[in-house]
Amino acid sequence: MISTDIINSIFPRDTLNDIETDLENDLALFLEWISFKPPLMDPSPRIRVAIKNVVNINNFNGYLHNSINNNFPDITITTIDETMMNIKQVYQFYSDIGKFLGLDISPIINYKFQILLEKPQFQHLLITYFDDNLLQFDDCLSPVSPKFNPPAGDKGLKGDTGDTFFYQYLPIFNQLNVGDNIMKIVVSVLIKKIKEYILNNCVNYELFFIDSINQWIKTMIYPNFKILLRSIDANFNYLSEILTISHNEFISLRINQIFDMVKAYPQSEPGLIELNKCLNFKNESHNQRDRLVSIFLDKIDSELLNSGINTINLIKMYIKIIKSFLIIDAKGVLLDKVIRPLRAYLKHRDDIIQKLVIGLIDDSSSNELIALNIELSKSEKRKLKIDEFSDLNWVPDPIDALPDFKNFKIKDIIESLISIFDSKEIFINEFTKFFGNKLINRSDNDISKILKLINLLKLRFGKNEFFNLDIMIQDILNSSPQLTVLSHLYWSDIIPESTGSVHEELNKEFAHFNKNFQKKSFNRYLKMIPELSKVTLKVNGKNYQVDMHHASVIMMFKDKEEVGLDEVVRELNMNEYNAGNVLKFWVEEGVLLKLGGVYVTND
Amino acid sequence: MKVEIVDWQAVASWHWDLKDDSITDELCGICRVAFDGTCPNCKYPGNECPLILGAGCQHNFHLHCILQWLEQDTSKGLCPMCRQVFEFRKDFNTVTKDINSLLMLIDGHKSMRDREVDEEFDSFDDDLRMND
Ligand SMILES: [Zn+2]
Ligand SMILES: [Zn+2]
Ligand SMILES: [Zn+2]
């Protein structure tokens, strides 16, 4: 390409005007002749003499170029038609001069037009022109298109558009030797068109689009584009490149939508599947994968990692991230990269273990994390699968995996959530507490359900982790409806601290249980746990099922008609608040009456 | 006022009866697990693995723990804690297979010790005779 520097080095600053010889007159006449007044006049005999004299000047060629450079007319940029006609006229004028003189002046002419072409206004003019007309070249008359001879009388607007371009503009561009520039502009317009098409038509990630994009390229964009560019480059054949460009545009859109897509899972499955498809196309670089990861991580940081979002929603999102990213990348490498910050964050949420435990265990529709319960119920099948295939199907980790990538742990939702925490113990403790409370308030139906759940949990957390719960279950299975016997060391979370002693008569009755138990239990004896025990009493002909404290208090009235609060506190080692509550219960039941500072029977 | 007990839904904890209030130990001297907990060989605590109460000394062990100890000849039938001859309180109402094994081991160690004493006497006699 010719630059100003090169021109200046070839042509000294001097112009033909500066030569002060006897040729002065001839020069004036010659300069007048070549000054831009289109069309170029046929030179008169006097001018011909002048030309003859000046061409013999030393380095005339250089002077001529310099003069054209300095006197080149400004081409005002108006409409495409006017501007192109203007260019044509200027070009014609100077190339006629060259022809007449028998000199090649195309370097300076092309250089001037090159500058014109690079002007933003002119670029803008061309971009607008191609933008408006690109999709109308298809039907037109093109010198190199297979449709060189269109059916007669079927021209219309499209035909006119093509005619104008191919017969009027294109020859000018070809003469100016600016095919590469035009090609660049057309490609930029093409990309703009593809972008617009995708942004206007493909935003909804709940639908599939790749097929319709390909179809649009093949029937709309490519034929027009090919006709146009083959007139510049006859070997043009870039369908696969254009498809790649459009797929890249499409991925860009989906990558920008990634956070919303994950949030919308499973409705967004079509979008995720197509993202996977595009990322796996042959020409795809790792750039898009990296961009996907960094955009998603930014979103996680700004949208999820703050205390305003409750733990349930965070876990829901965690599950969606796993499911979505395994669609995008089945190997789990991308998932591994995007899930790490959320894992680190969840680890320190106070209620996370409790929420996960309930999510896993509760099979009712009120469980907001029912997905975990469903996943747990699939554990049996999963275990089988892993045993069968683990060794046979081993493959090395993908190349862009992080060094501590764990293929197995990352893909399984429950495994992934458990592995957030360094030890399983906190889960086991929570399960033990949860099931312990269920077992102690048992109904027979519950026990078989609990057993089934614990068996599923054992598949996930390891069989031996549940030995404490196994003992608790064994205790319950060995118990009768009248008497539950606990191995106390294993119920420490459930057995409450003593809140009082038991009435003598209840203790005496309980001694029968102890006697029976000792008969079949070597040297073991029983201690009643009043806070967990219940008794059914018949009081004044009516049955009440109450705990030992309520029973003990009312039994004090068996032999006495009147008992004071202080007496209850003293005799049953209860605190005043609890004793007061129990008495209040019996008053509300109509069994006792409160008279001043004492309670009396209401027979 | 008339208050009758109609039905019970009692909850209780069980404990090994140490039969001696002066014993403050709560851990098996061998496995260091609480008496009321499971020995390392058992899945559940209770009748399968009763607490064996020392009779000669005041040391108590899970049945399986003391069995394992006495199965070694080097134990010589002594308590692992105080090195007295190990005896235990046999006030059970049933004798299980494991308790029977314990009885036999203790007997075995006893006769082994008796034989050793006899042999010592014999060699003492021999020495006397040789000195004659
Ligand atoms: Zn032990
Ligand atoms: Zn045992
Ligand atoms: Zn001892």
Side-chain angles (χ1 to χ4, degrees), chain B residues 37-46 48-50 62-65 98:
Chain B
T38 57
C39 90
N41 297 305
C42 287
K43 195 160 185 254
Y44 307 109
E48 296 296 310
C49 191
H62 295 117
L63 170 57
H64 296 132
C65 294
D98 287 341

Side-chain angles (χ1 to χ4, degrees), chain B residues 57 59 79 82:
Chain B
C57 64
H59 295 119
C79 167
C82 64

Side-chain angles (χ1 to χ4, degrees), chain A residues 465-476:
Chain A
E465 304 284 337
F466 288 86
F467 81 96
N468 193 113
L469 253 174
D470 284 340
I471 293 170
M472 294 164 95
I473 289 167
Q474 190 70 13
D475 282 348
I476 298 299

Side-chain angles (χ1 to χ4, degrees), chain A residues 245-378:
Chain A
I245 289 170
S246 55
H247 296 151
N248 276 332
E249 280 305 323
F250 183 61
I251 307 180
S252 274
L253 170 66
R254 287 289 179 266
I255 287 177
N256 289 335
Q257 295 173 308
I258 182 63
F259 191 76
D260 291 336
M261 274 165 68
V262 170
K263 241 163 108 180
Y265 180 89
Q267 274 72 34
S268 56
E269 241 183 65
L272 295 165
I273 290 168
E274 292 201 323
L275 189 50
N276 160 271
K277 213 169 159 187
C278 287
L279 287 175
N280 285 316
F281 281 148
K282 207 172 61 203
N283 297 328
E284 200 31 57
S285 68
H286 273 290
N287 281 351
Q288 297 275 36
R289 289 166 70 91
D290 292 345
R291 204 169 79 85
L292 174 71
V293 169
S294 86
I295 284 190
F296 194 73
L297 285 178
D298 282 352
K299 275 285 194 178
I300 285 213
D301 193 50
S302 61
E303 308 273 325
L304 286 186
L305 305 189
N306 64 69
S307 53
I309 299 186
N310 74 41
T311 305
I312 295 268
N313 286 337
L314 285 176
I315 299 170
K316 277 184 179 172
M317 204 49 196
Y318 189 95
I319 296 170
K320 285 180 177 190
I321 294 172
I322 293 180
K323 293 194 170 174
S324 303
F325 272 85
L326 284 179
I327 293 176
I328 300 169
D329 166 40
K331 290 183 182 127
V333 175
L334 296 184
L335 169 61
D336 179 48
K337 288 179 180 172
V338 299
I339 202 91
R340 289 182 184 226
L342 186 53
R343 287 169 66 82
Y345 182 73
L346 280 175
K347 192 173 177 176
H348 300 292
R349 274 281 173 139
D350 286 343
D351 53 348
I352 174 86
I353 298 289
Q354 189 212 341
K355 293 283 192 284
L356 287 175
V357 162
I358 302 290
L360 282 165
I361 289 169
D362 184 2
D363 64 353
S364 74
S365 57
S366 62
N367 181 1
E368 288 189 272
L369 297 173
I370 191 85
L372 291 180
N373 181 263
I374 292 168
E375 202 65 31
L376 181 69
S377 65
K378 295 181 197 153

Side-chain angles (χ1 to χ4, degrees), chain A residues 470 482 484 486-490 519-520 522-525 527 529 533-534 536 538 545 548 558, chain B residues 2-4 6-17 19 36-38 43-44 47 92-93:
Chain A
D470 284 340
Q482 275 77 40
T484 304
L486 307 183
S487 303
H488 65 98
L489 291 173
Y490 304 94
K519 265 187 223 159
K520 47 181 184 164
F522 292 93
N523 285 325
R524 286 192 286 166
Y525 67 94
K527 269 191 211 167
I529 306 170
S533 298
K534 288 198 168 81
T536 308
K538 191 179 234 174
Q545 195 193 48
M548 286 297 146
K558 272 189 91 165
Chain B
K2 224 177 146 192
V3 181
E4 282 173 73
V6 179
D7 196 13
W8 280 85
Q9 297 82 38
V11 178
S13 55
W14 65 261
H15 306 259
W16 289 112
D17 188 352
K19 312 259 170 156
D36 294 339
T38 57
K43 195 160 185 254
Y44 307 109
N47 287 352
F92 304 121
N93 29 27

Side-chain angles (χ1 to χ4, degrees), chain A residues 522-523, chain B residues 16-19 23 27-30 35 46-68 70 79 86-92 94 96 98-103 106:
Chain A
F522 292 93
N523 285 325
Chain B
W16 289 112
D17 188 352
L18 301 182
K19 312 259 170 156
I23 295 173
L27 304 182
C28 165
I30 295 172
F35 293 145
N47 287 352
E48 296 296 310
C49 191
L51 192 67
I52 301 301
L53 304 175
C57 64
Q58 285 196 327
H59 295 119
N60 309 320
F61 308 98
H62 295 117
L63 170 57
H64 296 132
C65 294
I66 192 67
L67 260 180
Q68 242 176 10
L70 293 177
C79 167
F86 188 75
E87 293 287 344
F88 69 102
R89 300 172 63 135
K90 302 176 189 67
D91 44 6
F92 304 121
T94 46
T96 63
D98 287 341
I99 290 175
N100 205 37
S101 305
L102 182 63
L103 289 167
I106 287 175

Side-chain angles (χ1 to χ4, degrees), chain A residues 103-333:
Chain A
L103 294 169
D104 177 18
I105 55 169
S106 61
I108 176 67
I109 305 270
N110 288 351
Y111 166 71
K112 294 307 276 187
F113 281 110
Q114 191 81 42
I115 288 170
L116 175 72
L117 204 67
E118 281 165 11
K119 280 189 177 173
Q121 304 104 289
F122 192 64
Q123 295 255 321
H124 181 73
L125 188 71
L126 286 175
I127 288 171
T128 312
Y129 170 72
F130 286 119
D131 197 13
D132 291 346
N133 296 291
L134 184 66
L135 294 187
Q136 289 161 18
F137 289 150
D138 183 18
D139 287 346
C140 74
L141 187 71
S142 157
V144 284
S145 124
K147 293 182 182 176
F148 186 73
N149 294 311
D154 185 24
K155 277 195 164 184
L157 178 67
K158 290 181 175 181
D160 290 343
T161 306
D163 274 355
T164 312
F165 180 77
F166 289 110
Y167 288 114
Q168 294 185 35
Y169 304 164
L170 191 62
I172 302 170
F173 290 134
N174 282 340
Q175 278 170 336
L176 296 178
N177 201 18
V178 290
D180 280 355
N181 302 57
I182 301 301
M183 179 86 92
K184 257 187 228 161
I185 290 170
V186 172
V187 170
S188 79
V189 170
L190 170 88
I191 291 173
K192 183 168 168 269
K193 284 237 173 278
I194 291 174
K195 248 183 204 168
E196 279 168 3
Y197 176 85
I198 286 173
L199 281 176
N200 290 334
N201 296 285
C202 311
V203 173
N204 185 352
Y205 42 67
E206 296 181 13
L207 301 173
F208 290 100
F209 282 106
I210 291 180
D211 285 348
S212 63
I213 292 173
N214 289 350
Q215 194 60 25
W216 178 72
I217 297 286
K218 281 178 192 160
T219 60
M220 289 294 289
I221 282 283
Y222 190 65
N224 288 294
F225 191 71
K226 193 167 77 175
I227 287 162
L228 177 58
L229 290 188
R230 275 206 178 155
S231 61
I232 297 166
D233 171 5
N235 296 319
F236 180 83
N237 191 2
Y238 293 123
L239 177 60
S240 77
E241 279 81 354
I242 295 174
L243 286 172
T244 302
I245 289 170
S246 55
H247 296 151
N248 276 332
E249 280 305 323
F250 183 61
I251 307 180
S252 274
L253 170 66
R254 287 289 179 266
I255 287 177
N256 289 335
Q257 295 173 308
I258 182 63
F259 191 76
D260 291 336
M261 274 165 68
V262 170
K263 241 163 108 180
Y265 180 89
Q267 274 72 34
S268 56
E269 241 183 65
L272 295 165
I273 290 168
E274 292 201 323
L275 189 50
N276 160 271
K277 213 169 159 187
C278 287
L279 287 175
N280 285 316
F281 281 148
K282 207 172 61 203
N283 297 328
E284 200 31 57
S285 68
H286 273 290
N287 281 351
Q288 297 275 36
R289 289 166 70 91
D290 292 345
R291 204 169 79 85
L292 174 71
V293 169
S294 86
I295 284 190
F296 194 73
L297 285 178
D298 282 352
K299 275 285 194 178
I300 285 213
D301 193 50
S302 61
E303 308 273 325
L304 286 186
L305 305 189
N306 64 69
S307 53
I309 299 186
N310 74 41
T311 305
I312 295 268
N313 286 337
L314 285 176
I315 299 170
K316 277 184 179 172
M317 204 49 196
Y318 189 95
I319 296 170
K320 285 180 177 190
I321 294 172
I322 293 180
K323 293 194 170 174
S324 303
F325 272 85
L326 284 179
I327 293 176
I328 300 169
D329 166 40
K331 290 183 182 127
V333 175

